[in-house]
Amino acid sequence: MHQDVDKAGQRVWLNTLLSKYAVVAVAILLIIVFAVLNSSTFLTGANLQLILGGNSVALILALAGLLPLLAGEFDLSIGYTLELSAVVTAVLANDGVPLPLTLLIVLVMGAVIGLVNSFFITILGVSSFISTLGMGTVVSAISLELTHGEILIKNIPPALINFAQGTVGGVPLILIPAIVLFILFYIIGEHTTYGRRLLAVGLSPRASQLAGVRIGRSVGSTFVIAGVLAALAGWLELGRVGSASAGIGPNFLLPAITAGFLGATTIKTGRFNVLGTGVAVALVAVGIDGLQLNGAAYWVQPLFDGGVLLLAVGTAQLLARRAK
């Protein structure tokens, strides 16, 4: 009898462990598979630099999208804000505006976009899905007008390119702000009153209101911060690729939102969390890099983004159900 109870307890413990770290396990498995398939390229320092540098902007944008998710909302404008930030920086730089001033301008622009989102959502009561999607469309139209449908490549600040593409001791410089923000967001999300309030609002707005939480202020702040981070991501992306164009927003939006939802199935299952989001970004980065090294077609990346989300979420939910 006691042996049956012990075995049942062990199964529950194992299933719970697997449900919490299924995404981590998938990431490790992908690393092993691609290391075997591309033994001469995948685990090289050059490829590691490529993965880290190429996905630093993705991590920053995923953090931008995470804050509204913590509060139970969506921000579908972050990809378009990134796009506009890169375009505005390129335009200003071409007009001779100093690089530090371009950063200040686009950060303020991101905050304004976030404030407009906050107004429609918290004051007028518009759905965050509808409001931020509409805002994203407006922002995209502004980008199209500024670029006239062309790719902006002239007079991109060399200092920005050197920072976004440079390395120190083999570590991409662009990774530094991403890691700093990741650590900061972890502290905020897990160890501050603000983070706990956002989580409480996301889980139960009514209970949070009864507890005295100012829901409008808490939710609204997430959109402002998301706008600022998305603008920073766009500023860095301009330096990383050396050009800006309209229409790139959706390419960044889906991976960022995917990382948030995928992250909710790992580490702290059942809720959005920073550590899980970081693991999700790493999983997608490793998967895409490995597939590209194997000559995957251009359509594989969106297929991978959607497929890995469905697979990981489904697996984690199944294991969590078995653990009950």
Side-chain angles (χ1 to χ4, degrees):
M1 180 67 177
H2 289 293
Q3 291 180 346
D4 292 338
V5 173
D6 290 341
K7 290 181 179 179
Q10 290 175 357
R11 285 195 298 270
V12 170
W13 176 82
L14 180 60
N15 287 332
T16 302
L17 183 67
L18 290 175
S19 67
K20 291 181 65 176
Y21 297 102
V23 177
V24 178
V26 172
I28 294 174
L29 178 62
L30 285 177
I31 291 174
I32 295 173
V33 169
F34 291 132
V36 172
L37 293 176
N38 303 282
S39 57
S40 62
T41 55
F42 183 74
L43 292 181
T44 62
N47 191 54
L48 180 59
Q49 288 181 10
L50 181 65
I51 294 175
L52 294 175
N55 290 276
S56 296
V57 168
L59 177 58
I60 294 174
L61 196 65
L63 294 174
L66 179 63
L67 271 184
L69 289 176
L70 283 173
E73 304 289 350
F74 292 90
D75 191 343
L76 302 182
S77 66
I78 53 175
Y80 302 97
T81 302
L82 178 152
E83 172 188 312
L84 181 60
S85 173
V87 168
V88 168
T89 302
V91 171
L92 292 175
N94 190 55
D95 290 339
V97 178
L99 184 59
L101 184 56
T102 65
L103 176 59
L104 177 61
I105 291 173
V106 296
L107 292 182
V108 172
M109 179 192 72
V112 170
I113 292 173
L115 282 170
V116 174
N117 281 331
S118 177
F119 172 77
F120 277 96
I121 294 163
T122 64
I123 304 299
L124 299 184
V126 179
S127 162
S128 62
F129 187 92
I130 299 299
S131 178
T132 58
L133 183 60
M135 175 57 70
T137 304
V138 171
V139 169
S140 180
I142 297 174
S143 296
L144 190 60
E145 166 61 23
L146 290 175
T147 61
H148 302 291
E150 300 176 352
I151 299 177
L152 306 181
I153 59 175
K154 293 182 178 180
N155 299 321
I156 306 301
L160 179 57
I161 293 177
N162 292 337
F163 175 79
Q165 299 181 8
T167 61
V168 171
V171 178
L173 289 172
I174 196 174
L175 180 64
I176 297 175
I179 294 300
V180 169
L181 287 170
F182 180 80
I183 295 173
L184 179 61
F185 269 58
Y186 173 75
I187 295 172
I188 292 174
E190 301 295 333
H191 301 288
T192 66
T193 301
Y194 177 71
R196 289 190 288 269
R197 284 176 179 171
L198 291 183
L199 181 61
V201 171
L203 293 174
S204 177
R206 178 59 178 167
S208 300
Q209 187 176 35
L210 292 174
V213 176
R214 295 182 178 180
I215 295 179
R217 178 178 296 181
S218 297
V219 172
S221 66
T222 66
F223 290 99
V224 176
I225 297 173
V228 171
L229 283 184
L232 173 62
W235 189 78
L236 292 171
E237 179 64 13
L238 175 64
R240 192 181 73 84
V241 300
S243 64
S245 61
I248 65 172
N251 296 333
F252 286 90
L253 176 60
L254 178 60
I257 298 300
T258 296
F261 278 94
L262 186 55
T265 68
T266 189
I267 311 298
K268 298 181 181 296
T269 54
R271 72 175 178 88
F272 299 106
N273 65 93
V274 175
L275 288 179
T277 299
V279 171
V281 171
L283 170 64
V284 173
V286 168
I288 295 300
D289 179 75
L291 290 170
Q292 289 176 342
L293 288 177
N294 281 279
Y298 67 92
W299 48 263
V300 168
Q301 180 167 350
L303 177 65
F304 185 85
D305 287 337
V308 76
L309 175 62
L310 292 174
L311 178 61
V313 171
T315 301
Q317 289 298 320
L318 178 61
L319 291 172
R321 191 175 301 170
R322 290 179 58 188
K324 293 181 179 179

